[in-house]
Amino acid sequence: QVQLVESGGGLVQAGGSLRLSCALSGRTFSNYAMGWFRQAPGKEREFVAAINWSGGSTNYADSVKGRFTISRDNAKNTVYLQMNSLKPEDTAVYYCVAGRRSTPGRYDYWGQGTQVTVSS
């Protein structure tokens, strides 16, 4: 059974930082690209960041470039999203995703989501 378990969400003031973590179980972690999406109230779910299976390639939404960093530790089966200089518009539920390295851009598994709230 595949599980993606996120942690690290919470309430932070604008300008602050948070680090999200997501652990994958039930599959070989290094066979999967990983990513993060988010959904704010009343808005569609949107892409935030992705990282390939080795960690050698990353991709970011324009809205978070320069502020967020995605990384992974294949020994710990965990992907991270370091979020700095947070803005109120970053408030959303953040979802961790996993996709087979053989099908780039397609995400087969989703976590349950973790709430990030940025106060002004």
Side-chain angles (χ1 to χ4, degrees), residues 19-118:
R19 188 176 82 154
L20 305 183
S21 300
C22 172
L24 172 70
S25 61
R27 289 292 184 271
T28 301
F29 187 67
S30 59
N31 285 343
Y32 286 81
M34 302 295 294
W36 293 90
F37 282 71
R38 68 185 182 186
Q39 187 166 22
K43 295 188 177 181
E44 293 188 353
R45 194 170 294 183
E46 64 175 359
F47 168 79
V48 175
I51 188 166
N52 75 334
W53 68 273
S54 68
S57 177
T58 58
N59 190 27
Y60 297 92
D62 287 344
S63 59
V64 306
K65 277 181 184 176
R67 300 188 298 122
F68 291 10
T69 302
I70 188 170
S71 61
R72 65 188 294 157
D73 186 336
N74 284 359
K76 295 183 178 179
N77 294 348
T78 301
V79 63
Y80 305 97
L81 185 68
Q82 178 66 43
M83 305 185 293
N84 298 329
S85 302
L86 282 161
K87 305 175 181 179
E89 51 263 44
D90 294 316
T91 295
V93 177
Y94 283 70
Y95 297 91
C96 174
V97 297
R100 294 178 180 86
R101 56 192 279 191
S102 58
T103 54
R106 171 179 159 178
Y107 297 104
D108 303 289
Y109 305 110
W110 292 69
Q112 80 286 354
T114 186
Q115 177 70 47
V116 171
T117 303
V118 184

